[in-house]
Amino acid sequence: MSDASLVVVGADGRVAPRNSPPSEEDRPIGPLAALSVRNFRHFAIGQGISLIGSWTETVAQAILVLQLTNSATAVGFATAARYLPVLLLTPYAGLLVDRMSKRRLLVATASLLASLSLLQAGLVLTHRIDMTVVFVVALLFGCLSALDNPARQAFIPEMVGKPLIRNAVTINSTMVNVGRAVGPLVAALLITTVGIGWCFLVNAISFAAVLAALLAMQRSALHPVQRVTPAPGQLLEGFRYALTVPEILGPVAMMALIGTFTYEFEVSLPLFAKVSLAGGAASYSWLLGAFGAGSVVGGIYCMLRPELGLPRLVRAASLYGAAMLATACAPTQTIAVVLLFVVGLASITFITTGNATIQLAAAPQYRGRVTALWSTAFVDRPRSGRRSSG
């Protein structure tokens, strides 16, 4: 018998005796394994509830701007006001995430974002809202989102540990898209019954779920990484590090290209529903709900068939591009809903695979800056000010 038959190669490339027990990282991982971790389970449930509120507000925000202005340009400017701070500030925020407690940062950002939603709810319900307030609130949301996004993504490994990172990222992405599927339906119900202002109030209240999860965490069960001691040049150091790791550079570059040209759904979908399909708030909700439903199915697929790396990213990006092109040519709402389901499935597969790939490839001391690059490349995913990058 040859010596080769006495060894096996693990998932990380390490050689071990064939009869030795598998390492923790090599054991099969069930599709819901990360939910066995108490802290992550509570966090995922809290996020799921909060994200339903956030998608409810996302729909309401676009409809509100259209009601105030009847202008597609105004919708674009309001969206830009929310995303410009994310684009400019997220790289610096990622460095802060590497230097500070991620849990405390998330408690602060969730509290402030809830306050902004509550403020906007009060102004809409009392008919005191105008576009100046909408733009100011959007800018403040963007500033908080720039810090919240990398902190939330980098905190996932600290809740579950390295063996469960991929599974936890997939579950988190699926919960995001449960919110995407349910939130628009809630928004349509609220807008047609009690009024658009209640959408903002529901979002403000929904933040209580994620705050409760963060405050109730068992800190002794976390896997904290050593915080980076402040020193000059650390931002550029993070960029240089990302450039040297193909598993980080490839997904971030693909996300930057695809995100720039296709992930502007908050602007395109309400206009597509109103102009191309001659619909209204209900039509927009159906389109967004179909995208979310497809994303949930895509998330389940990723849990059942976990895979990392560029090959799956390329396949998912190709399907996403083809489905987007077909959607643009859809002659009816029914066809558009079906195609957006496929768009959502391909989208979440691409995002989940890319996010998990960079999370596993990043050294812990650079994780905040690496996830900040991912969030900067992808500033669309709604979190009502917070944008969930998968």
Side-chain angles (χ1 to χ4, degrees), residues 34-217:
L35 292 178
S36 65
V37 180
R38 176 187 180 276
N39 283 340
F40 179 74
R41 181 171 65 252
H42 291 178
F43 178 80
I45 293 171
Q47 282 283 101
I49 294 171
S50 185
L51 285 160
I52 291 174
S54 296
W55 276 103
T56 300
E57 180 173 313
T58 295
V59 174
Q61 183 80 0
I63 301 300
L64 174 65
V65 174
L66 283 175
Q67 287 181 352
L68 291 173
T69 66
N70 197 33
S71 168
T73 303
V75 176
F77 278 122
T79 303
R82 183 172 287 191
Y83 296 149
L84 185 60
V86 177
L87 184 64
L88 297 178
L89 300 178
T90 295
Y92 300 94
L95 181 57
L96 289 178
V97 170
D98 284 333
R99 292 175 175 176
M100 302 175 67
S101 166
K102 300 171 185 62
R103 188 186 70 88
R104 290 180 180 176
L105 282 176
L106 290 172
V107 169
T109 55
S111 300
L112 293 170
L113 287 166
S115 299
L116 285 176
S117 290
L118 187 61
L119 171 64
Q120 196 160 9
L123 293 173
V124 174
L125 289 170
T126 57
H127 306 288
R128 296 178 181 178
I129 193 72
D130 58 37
M131 284 306 299
T132 300
V133 174
V134 171
F135 282 127
V136 171
V137 170
L139 285 169
L140 293 173
F141 263 125
C143 292
L144 291 169
S145 179
L147 185 58
D148 181 271
N149 283 339
R152 187 156 30 86
Q153 296 301 317
F155 190 46
I156 290 176
E158 294 192 14
M159 285 186 281
V160 300
K162 187 175 180 179
L164 292 175
I165 289 177
R166 179 171 57 189
N167 183 248
V169 168
T170 303
I171 291 173
N172 184 65
S173 297
T174 304
M175 295 303 294
V176 168
N177 289 288
V178 168
R180 186 196 289 270
V182 177
L185 302 179
V186 175
L189 177 64
L190 292 175
I191 291 171
T192 56
T193 55
V194 294
I196 197 168
W198 284 88
C199 296
F200 299 96
L201 183 60
V202 164
N203 187 39
I205 295 172
S206 73
F207 276 99
V210 71
L211 281 169
L214 289 167
L215 293 172
M217 280 191 174

Side-chain angles (χ1 to χ4, degrees), residues 324-377:
M324 282 287 290
L325 180 61
T327 301
C329 302
T332 67
Q333 177 179 305
T334 301
I335 294 175
V337 164
V338 173
L339 289 170
L340 278 168
F341 179 91
V342 180
V343 171
L345 188 153
S347 173
I348 198 62
T349 302
F350 175 80
I351 292 165
T352 299
T353 303
N355 195 349
T357 298
I358 67 166
Q359 289 265 24
L360 285 167
Q365 67 270 26
Y366 290 104
R367 194 166 281 138
R369 282 163 284 182
V370 167
T371 55
L373 287 175
W374 178 258
S375 297
T376 302

Side-chain angles (χ1 to χ4, degrees), residues 250-265 291 310 312-322 324 343 346-351 354 374 376-381:
V252 170
M254 291 181 69
M255 185 73 260
L257 179 63
I258 295 172
T260 297
F261 293 104
T262 64
Y263 279 107
E264 74 299 329
F265 295 111
F291 187 104
L310 291 177
R312 174 179 271 189
L313 285 174
V314 171
R315 294 195 302 270
S318 300
L319 177 60
Y320 177 75
M324 282 287 290
V343 171
S347 173
I348 198 62
T349 302
F350 175 80
I351 292 165
W374 178 258
T376 302
F378 184 31
V379 295
D380 167 76
R381 301 300 295 278

